[in-house]
């Protein structure tokens, strides 16, 4: 149940980010050529949307079992125990890195919030953009824990 | 220290951890052990690495290609390609190469090309009694035309780092792509001659031929829009990718009309997933590149390469070796993110044309897509053929050999790729 | 460098190695290393190798980088006060700019950076900004409806909207292509950038307007600064100030060469006269008023006073 809701939320965010950014750029081109004035913020918006897509999408990639890795070792190893060991170690390393993203991404978000930096065009507080990182860390941690607990 | 970095990276990769974790994780460990730099730098550089407007065209070219693919372009392109070369010896295999070229002109990604062309043609090849290894090999290798023929994710990343004109890179990609295709087509022809059984018997009427051409022409409008739009100054390369999405939607929804609400939703999700897959890798590659730069690897590499020789061709050949070895383990776009900042200053110092360099590097990355043990083409080919990675890895060996020859030709003769931008921009 | 007693300053700037900025950076390095008798080591990273201007500034805030040269316009998101230097026609000559930016006013304007964990210690320059375009520019009306590339700075965008132009923020590295391909028709930059980025190759006219001053702030990470002994702080600060002189002299000398390069390429070089300059100043007067509330009336008064003092010298 939780998984289903989470998947829906994730999909909505990443598809929304992709579609809205392509739309912003398209509108910008049309405005520039027909009305001689563009959306100053379109570029910046597209960048931030794709950053969000990337970090939230990282979790979706794991959900879909599509993260890229050098899997050849798994084929070369014949011993089942050795296989399990290598696979679980790989996932454990990934989980550790996700926790790193939560802790230090969170720290970066908080620091940026305290320093009050805003984006040049949208005047958006930069911490809202940076928060994509700890958020992505949180979601990927959840996915890696799922993988770790899965029977092989 | 730099040796330690690469050993750690390789060790993490062999533990089958996701490559983005291996890249960024290595940097994290190195910073934690050897420096007092706050670890927040890893986060900040991962963020900065993808917060670039020029990289925004990656998701859009992925989306445009998926719209065309889900919308029904693949089978139309394949039909057209089959009409053009299908009746020759080795015709169906040539069809694979030609269709990959056509699809490459819509897609900016190699694995997408393998899926779109291979999923339909691999079974057809087996049916016509082409060998399993040959069939898997040609589908896997031809997919790399996806990043040599413009648009190309690899060239976009190269342009983003060096400031080289993406328009000029795209135009040079045509020449290189044709040379690359000819190599594979020749091999297909010889293979067909040798195994006489593999000749297509299907023939088409003139009317069918014209209809096929008209059908596929809609899809082929995308490269015209992209190159025409960039060249005429109507929009930037990044904006061109957004326009390509709208054009693709128009063709898929108004002209072809094969999509359902369900397939549209699925297409958007797929595109976002592929985007995240590519971008998180670029993000991690970016912090890895930062580590190498700030640790002085640029100077180190430059002095050791230049000590060997400062002849442009020798430098280019050394770069080929570095990229081919790197390409065995890392995805091409990420490899560019890591190596180009180190190599570019050396190349420009010895007088190598930045566009030619970009094309040579792109071809290297294209080959890297199907060199084992890591290659996106290998992975998706394993998926569509239902064969293990080790099988596919063996299938591509003759194609790797052919590609090496083509790579050397493209390296030695810059004019093969540079003639088109030279004609247009001068 | 495993010797922990050696302090390393990594210094980032965004221009190539053959520019006055790099010459200045080398002068800074040499003075710091000599005066500290090797206790402080300076590593220079040119051409934005370590990141863009904004990214480099963030690194200094976080303490992951020690020093950077950043155009003041790029600091708008960190401390809007720094934009005061970017107001059009604010300095009528180089001498006045130098006098103001080396005076007590320097410390006043840099003060806003401290709470952002940045320490400003000197102003370097890129020079006065000029227009390049594919058409003649002699009055603000000539900018009407024109697509101009500007730095990503709210004030610069506002400045060009004010004269009816269509300002488009485009990344520095993408500007050449954008000009070549006609995405934008003109841009503004000092000669050093016009020549090093080869903008003149894709533009027909250079208009010597001196319409704005592009200053680089020499910034340090505040954490790093606070960790230095007083002696070392003095060494670093005076080296940055002395290097500023080197960099400015080098810029002035180079500008003659740059101008010749542009002329030799066949690009037309125009100069605007006093009456034309007055028309531009007039058109942009409201910008100064609009920005008084953002920059603070106090700061604005202090700037006016500093300029007056400089003029009397
Ligand atoms: Na392509
Ligand atoms: Na490979």
């Amino acid at each position: 149940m939780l998984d289903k809701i989470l998947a829906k939320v994730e999909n909505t965010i990443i598809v929304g980010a992709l579609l809205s950014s392509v739309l912003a750029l398209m509108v910008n081109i049309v405005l520039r050529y027909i009305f001689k004035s563009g959306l100053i913020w379109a570029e910046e918006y597209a960048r931030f949307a794709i950053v969000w897509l990337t970090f939230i999408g990282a979790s979706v990639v794991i959900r879909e079992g599509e993260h890229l890795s050098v899997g050849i070792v798994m084929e070369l190893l014949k011993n089942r125990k050795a296989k399990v060991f290598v696979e679980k170690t790989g996932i454990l390393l990934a989980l550790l890195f996700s926790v790193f993203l939560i802790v230090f991404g969170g720290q970066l978000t908080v620091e940026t919030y305290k320093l009050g930096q805003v984006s040049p065009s949208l005047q958006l507080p930069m911490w809202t953009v940076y928060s994509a990182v700890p958020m992505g860390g949180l979601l990927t941690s959840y996915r890696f824990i799922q993988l770790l607990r899965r029977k092989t | 220290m730099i040796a330690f970095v690469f050993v750690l990276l390789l060790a993490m990769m062999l533990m089958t951890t996701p490559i983005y974790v291996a890249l960024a994780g290595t940097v994290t460990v190195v910073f934690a052990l050897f420096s007092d730099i706050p670890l927040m730098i890893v986060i900040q550089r991962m963020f900065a690495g993808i917060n670039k407007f020029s990289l925004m065209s990656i998701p859009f070219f992925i989306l445009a290609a998926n719209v065309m693919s889900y919308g029904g372009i693949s089978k139309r392109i394949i039909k057209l390609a089959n009409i053009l070369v299908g009746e020759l010896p080795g015709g169906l295999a040539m069809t694979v190469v030609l269709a990959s070229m056509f699809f490459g002109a819509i897609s900016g990604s190699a694995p997408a090309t393998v899926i779109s062309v291979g999923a339909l043609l691999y079974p057809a090849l087996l049916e016509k009694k082409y060998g399993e290894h040959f069939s898997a090999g040609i589908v896997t290798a031809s997919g790399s035309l996806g990043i040599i023929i413009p648009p190309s994710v690899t060239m976009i990343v190269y342009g983003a780092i060096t400031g080289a004109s993406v328009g000029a890179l795209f135009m040079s990609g045509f020449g290189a792509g044709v040379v690359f295709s000819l190599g594979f087509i020749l091999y297909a022809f010889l293979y067909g001659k040798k195994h006489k059984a593999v000749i297509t018997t299907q023939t088409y009427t003139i009317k069918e031929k014209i209809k096929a051409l008209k059908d596929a022409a809609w899809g082929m409008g995308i490269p015209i829009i992209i190159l025409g739009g960039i060249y005429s100054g109507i929009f930037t390369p990044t904006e061109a990718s957004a326009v390509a999405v709208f054009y693709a939607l128009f063709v898929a929804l108004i002209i072809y009309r094969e999509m359902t609400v369900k397939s549209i939703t699925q297409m958007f999700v797929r595109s976002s997933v592929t985007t995240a897959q590519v971008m998180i890798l670029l993000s991690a590659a970016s912090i890895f590149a930062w580590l190498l730069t700030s640790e002085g690897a640029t100077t180190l590499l430059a002095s050791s390469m230049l000590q060997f020789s400062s002849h442009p061709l020798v430098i280019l050949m050394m770069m080929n070796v570095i990229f081919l070895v790197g390409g065995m383990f890392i995805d091409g776009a990420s490899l560019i993110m890591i190596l180009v900042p180190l190599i570019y200053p050396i190349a420009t110092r010895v007088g190598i044309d930045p566009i030619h360099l970009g094309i040579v590097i792109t071809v290297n990355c294209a080959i890297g897509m199907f060199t084992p043990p890591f290659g996106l083409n290998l992975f998706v080919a394993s998926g569509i053929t239902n064969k293990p990675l080790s099988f596919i890895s063996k299938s591509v060996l003759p194609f790797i050999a052919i590609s090496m020859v083509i790579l050397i030709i493209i390296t030695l003769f810059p004019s093969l790729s540079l003639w088109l931008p030279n004609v247009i921009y001068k | 460098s495993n010797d922990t007693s050696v302090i390393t300053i990594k210094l980032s700037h965004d221009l190539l190695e053959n520019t006055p900025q790099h010459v200045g950076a080398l002068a800074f390095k040499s003075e710091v290393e000599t005066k500290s008798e090797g206790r402080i080591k300076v590593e220079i990273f040119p051409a934005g190798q370590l990141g863009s201007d904004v990214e480099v500034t963030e690194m200094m805030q976080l303490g992951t980088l020690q020093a950077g040269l950043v155009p003041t316009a790029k600091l708008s998101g960190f401390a809007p006060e720094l934009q005061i230097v970017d107001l059009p026609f604010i300095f009528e000559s180089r001498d006045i700019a130098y006098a103001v930016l080396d005076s007590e006013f320097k410390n006043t304007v840099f003060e806003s950076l401290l709470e952002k964990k940045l320490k400003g210690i000197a102003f370097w320059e890129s020079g006065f900004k000029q227009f390049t375009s594919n058409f003649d520019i002699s009055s603000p009306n000539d900018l009407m409806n024109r697509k101009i590339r500007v730095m990503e700075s709210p004030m610069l965008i506002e400045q060009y909207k004010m004269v009816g132009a269509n300002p488009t923020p485009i990344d520095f590295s993408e500007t050449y292509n954008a000009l070549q391909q006609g995405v934008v028709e003109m841009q503004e930059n000092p000669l050093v950038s016009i020549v090093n980025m080869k903008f003149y190759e894709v533009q027909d006219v250079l208009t010597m307007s001196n319409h704005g001053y592009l200053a680089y702030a020499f910034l340090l990470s505040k954490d790093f600064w606070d960790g230095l002994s007083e002696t070392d702080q003095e060494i670093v600060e005076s080296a940055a100030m002395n290097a500023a002189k080197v960099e400015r002299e080098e810029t002035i000398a180079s500008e003659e060469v740059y101008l010749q390069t542009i002329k030799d390429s066949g690009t037309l070089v125009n100069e605007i006269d006093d009456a034309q300059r007055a028309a531009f100043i007039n058109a942009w007067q409201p910008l100064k008023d609009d920005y008084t509330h953002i920059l603070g009336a106090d700061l604005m008064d202090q700037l006016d006073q500093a300029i007056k003092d400089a003029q009397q010298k």
Side-chain angles (χ1 to χ4, degrees):
Chain A
M1 184 62 193
L2 175 71
D3 261 12
K4 264 199 173 153
I5 296 171
L6 191 61
K8 262 241 153 66
V9 173
E10 285 172 336
N11 286 357
T12 312
I13 292 176
I14 62 175
V15 171
L18 184 62
L19 286 184
S20 60
S21 53
V22 73
L23 198 67
L25 290 192
M26 192 66 201
V27 170
N28 191 25
I29 298 168
V30 172
L31 287 181
R32 198 168 66 223
Y33 280 89
I34 300 182
F35 303 103
K36 296 264 171 200
S37 84
L39 305 171
I40 301 286
W41 50 266
E43 253 199 59
E44 196 175 273
Y45 176 80
R47 280 191 280 117
F48 293 169
I50 300 299
V51 167
W52 266 88
L53 190 168
T54 303
F55 285 96
I56 304 302
S59 160
V60 183
V61 174
I62 301 161
R63 185 186 83 205
E64 306 272 307
E66 293 188 35
H67 60 250
L68 302 172
S69 59
V70 181
I72 198 79
V73 180
M74 296 302 279
E75 264 185 44
L76 295 178
L77 286 175
K78 294 286 171 263
N79 184 314
R80 216 190 81 85
K81 269 191 182 150
K83 271 187 173 183
V84 172
F85 172 77
V86 168
E87 196 191 351
K88 296 293 181 195
T89 313
I91 299 170
L92 194 65
L93 286 172
L95 175 61
L96 283 175
F97 187 72
S98 290
V99 173
F100 170 79
L101 289 183
I102 300 175
V103 175
F104 286 84
Q107 198 185 336
L108 180 66
T109 308
V110 171
E111 285 289 320
T112 315
Y113 172 78
K114 280 198 231 154
L115 293 167
Q117 186 198 349
V118 295
S119 70
S121 295
L122 288 165
Q123 296 285 305
L124 199 69
M126 282 306 289
W127 69 266
T128 58
V129 193
Y130 276 126
S131 60
V133 181
M135 194 60 97
L138 207 62
L139 291 170
T140 49
S141 296
Y142 174 69
R143 300 289 173 201
F144 285 127
I145 290 172
Q146 277 183 328
L147 286 182
L148 210 53
R149 292 170 54 172
R150 200 179 57 186
K151 286 241 157 37
T152 27
Chain B
M1 155 89 154
I2 287 175
F4 172 81
V5 169
F6 283 99
V7 169
L8 183 61
L9 177 68
L10 200 63
M12 287 189 52
M13 279 183 178
L14 291 179
M15 291 317 276
T16 69
T17 204
I19 294 194
Y20 83 89
V21 174
L23 284 166
T26 299
V27 180
T28 310
V29 171
V30 169
F31 279 158
L33 291 182
F34 298 107
S35 85
D36 42 15
I37 298 182
L39 290 178
M40 264 188 288
I41 187 74
V42 176
I43 312 287
Q44 198 245 9
R45 289 311 307 171
M46 281 185 76
F47 178 94
I50 51 172
N51 185 27
K52 290 198 167 56
F53 186 61
S54 38
L55 294 184
M56 295 308 109
S57 46
I58 293 176
F60 302 151
F61 280 134
I62 289 173
L63 179 56
N66 273 348
V67 172
M68 293 306 295
S69 179
Y70 277 76
I73 189 68
S74 308
K75 59 179 184 202
R76 289 174 172 85
I77 279 178
I78 287 168
K79 188 161 182 197
L80 178 65
N82 197 244
I83 285 174
L84 291 173
V85 294
E87 289 166 40
L88 299 168
L92 194 61
M94 289 185 191
T95 304
V96 172
V97 183
L98 204 59
S100 298
M101 243 180 114
F102 290 162
F103 194 81
I106 292 168
S107 160
S109 116
T113 310
V114 176
I115 295 175
S116 304
V117 177
L120 291 174
L121 284 184
Y122 177 72
L125 285 167
L126 293 187
E127 203 174 296
K128 294 280 177 205
K129 305 275 184 285
Y130 285 82
E132 276 190 331
H133 273 301
F134 177 84
S135 304
I138 197 158
V139 165
T140 314
S142 302
S144 279
L145 287 164
I147 60 169
I148 304 178
I149 305 266
S152 158
V153 165
T154 320
M155 292 177 196
I156 292 165
V157 178
Y158 178 84
I161 292 172
T162 61
S165 157
V166 174
L169 285 167
F170 276 8
M171 283 174 210
S172 311
F174 268 118
V178 169
V179 176
F180 206 88
S181 309
L182 283 178
F184 285 178
I185 284 180
L186 184 66
Y187 181 55
F189 179 80
L190 295 177
Y191 185 92
K193 277 276 191 204
K194 195 173 159 208
H195 306 77
K196 290 197 177 57
V198 294
I199 295 178
T200 319
T201 45
Q202 190 173 6
T203 51
Y204 299 91
T205 66
I206 292 286
K207 218 174 145 188
E208 277 176 317
K209 286 182 184 176
I210 292 172
K211 186 175 178 306
L213 191 65
K214 245 168 66 185
D215 266 6
W218 278 107
M220 301 316 289
I222 285 198
I224 294 170
I225 288 185
I226 292 169
L227 291 179
I230 296 175
Y231 170 63
S232 62
I234 300 176
F235 29 73
T236 62
T238 309
E239 289 174 337
S241 60
V243 177
V245 170
F246 278 83
Y247 175 81
L249 281 171
F250 167 79
V251 174
L253 299 178
I254 312 286
I255 310 288
Y256 292 167
R257 290 193 225 174
E258 285 173 15
M259 295 181 81
T260 59
V261 174
K262 201 176 162 202
S263 71
I264 292 175
T265 319
Q266 203 194 353
M267 169 194 84
F268 282 131
V269 175
R270 288 308 319 158
S271 305
S272 311
V273 169
T274 309
T275 301
Q277 206 183 33
V278 176
M279 298 296 275
I280 193 79
L281 252 179
L282 284 181
S283 166
S286 152
I287 177 66
F288 194 79
W290 196 87
L291 170 74
L292 293 184
T293 307
S294 69
E295 287 307 320
T298 320
T299 345
L300 192 73
L301 189 70
S303 62
S304 37
M305 277 176 94
L306 292 173
Q307 213 163 41
F308 198 72
S309 165
S310 62
H311 192 284
L313 276 181
V314 181
I315 298 278
L316 275 172
M317 285 303 180
M318 284 194 277
M319 288 177 185
N320 282 340
V321 173
I322 296 174
F323 269 92
L324 286 174
V325 173
M328 290 168 66
F329 300 96
I330 301 176
D331 156 67
S334 315
L335 198 61
I336 287 184
M337 201 86 146
I338 295 168
L339 290 179
V340 168
L342 307 185
I343 278 175
Y344 190 72
I346 310 169
T348 44
R349 203 177 306 167
V350 300
I352 298 170
D353 181 292
I355 302 296
H356 179 55
L357 178 69
I359 295 303
V360 170
I361 288 178
T362 301
V363 173
N364 273 301
C365 294
I367 298 171
M369 288 287 181
F370 58 88
T371 52
F374 178 89
L376 295 183
N377 289 10
L378 300 172
F379 300 161
V380 296
S382 161
I384 57 173
T385 58
N386 267 325
K387 299 280 181 199
L389 264 182
S390 48
F391 180 93
I392 306 286
S393 301
K394 218 161 132 193
S395 310
V396 290
L397 291 179
F399 293 91
I400 293 175
I402 297 168
S403 304
M404 295 296 157
V405 177
I406 299 169
L407 173 65
I408 291 172
I409 294 174
I410 291 174
T411 309
L412 293 182
F413 304 103
S415 51
L416 282 176
S417 17
L418 293 181
W419 65 272
L420 191 55
N422 281 347
V423 166
I424 291 180
Y425 283 121
K426 271 166 198 166
Chain C
S1 59
N2 285 329
D3 186 358
T4 45
S5 63
V6 174
I7 301 168
T8 304
I9 298 181
K10 289 188 179 180
L11 169 65
S12 158
H13 71 81
D14 62 1
L15 291 170
L16 299 174
E17 289 180 40
N18 55 358
T19 56
Q21 279 72 14
H22 196 72
V23 172
L26 290 171
F28 171 79
K29 173 184 165 80
S30 145
E31 183 172 332
V32 168
E33 290 182 350
T34 312
K35 280 200 181 155
S36 70
E37 290 163 334
R39 269 181 301 107
I40 309 178
K41 215 176 109 214
V42 179
E43 292 173 15
I44 305 168
F45 292 87
Q49 281 178 1
L50 295 185
S52 71
D53 294 311
V54 169
E55 290 157 16
V56 157
T57 310
E58 288 178 355
M59 286 181 215
M60 286 185 275
Q61 286 187 314
L62 304 174
T64 54
L65 178 73
Q66 293 77 36
L69 277 167
V70 183
T72 49
K74 294 285 178 67
L75 293 168
S76 63
F78 299 89
E81 292 85 349
L82 267 290
Q83 297 178 94
I84 197 163
V85 188
D86 299 298
L87 282 166
F89 295 106
I90 201 75
F91 303 123
E92 58 187 53
S93 72
R94 275 204 150 93
D95 288 338
I96 299 223
Y98 299 160
V100 170
L101 296 176
D102 294 346
S103 73
E104 191 47 37
F105 177 75
K106 176 187 86 172
N107 298 328
T108 312
V109 74
F110 277 152
E111 215 172 83
S112 57
L113 290 171
L114 288 177
E115 58 168 356
K116 307 294 179 183
K117 298 180 79 175
L118 296 166
K119 168 76 185 172
I121 54 173
F123 280 107
W124 292 19
E125 74 168 12
S126 183
F128 280 108
K129 288 188 281 188
Q130 323 295 353
F131 295 120
T132 68
S133 54
N134 291 326
F135 45 86
D136 284 338
I137 298 173
S138 54
S139 86
N141 283 339
D142 295 329
L143 303 186
M144 187 71 84
N145 287 334
R146 296 295 190 173
K147 289 173 286 183
I148 177 170
R149 178 271 169 183
V150 292
M151 276 197 255
E152 210 180 8
S153 140
M155 193 176 82
L156 294 177
I157 289 167
E158 191 54 42
Q159 178 182 341
Y160 286 98
K161 277 187 174 167
M162 199 162 263
V163 290
N166 187 0
T168 311
I170 290 178
D171 198 67
F172 190 51
S173 66
E174 285 187 27
T175 304
Y176 180 90
N177 285 328
L179 289 168
Q180 182 184 44
Q181 291 150 358
V183 174
V184 284
E185 309 157 275
M186 62 177 294
Q187 63 90 36
E188 52 155 28
N189 255 305
L191 294 176
V192 54
S193 299
I194 294 171
V195 167
N196 277 297
M197 299 300 284
K198 300 195 165 63
F199 295 149
Y200 64 88
E201 288 182 357
V202 288
Q203 297 265 269
D204 302 331
V205 186
L206 166 73
T207 307
M208 295 293 289
S209 51
N210 290 345
H211 66 274
Y213 184 71
L214 203 157
Y216 274 79
F218 193 114
L219 302 178
L220 294 175
S221 161
K222 186 169 174 296
D223 288 346
F224 172 74
W225 173 259
D226 291 343
L228 289 178
S229 69
E230 243 169 73
T231 326
D232 287 349
Q233 284 185 345
E234 225 157 83
I235 291 173
V236 170
E237 184 163 13
S238 85
M241 292 294 288
N242 291 335
K245 290 198 187 76
V246 174
E247 191 258 355
R248 287 165 180 173
E249 276 162 23
E250 186 72 21
T251 304
I252 293 169
S254 308
E255 285 201 338
E256 285 171 35
V257 184
Y258 294 148
L259 200 57
Q260 197 54 48
T261 309
I262 296 173
K263 281 181 181 157
D264 291 349
S265 76
T267 298
L268 188 67
V269 177
N270 288 340
E271 237 167 273
I272 62 168
D273 62 29
D274 288 349
Q276 291 164 343
R277 173 167 293 114
F280 275 105
I281 294 177
N282 202 29
W284 279 326
Q285 185 55 43
L287 186 72
K288 204 177 160 187
D289 304 336
D290 288 356
Y291 265 75
T292 302
H293 74 274
I294 296 175
L295 304 170
D298 240 23
L299 191 66
M300 212 63 125
D301 289 345
Q302 292 193 48
L303 175 65
D304 287 340
Q305 190 56 48
I307 292 173
K308 264 187 210 138
D309 292 348
Q311 281 164 338
Q312 273 156 15
K313 267 185 203 167

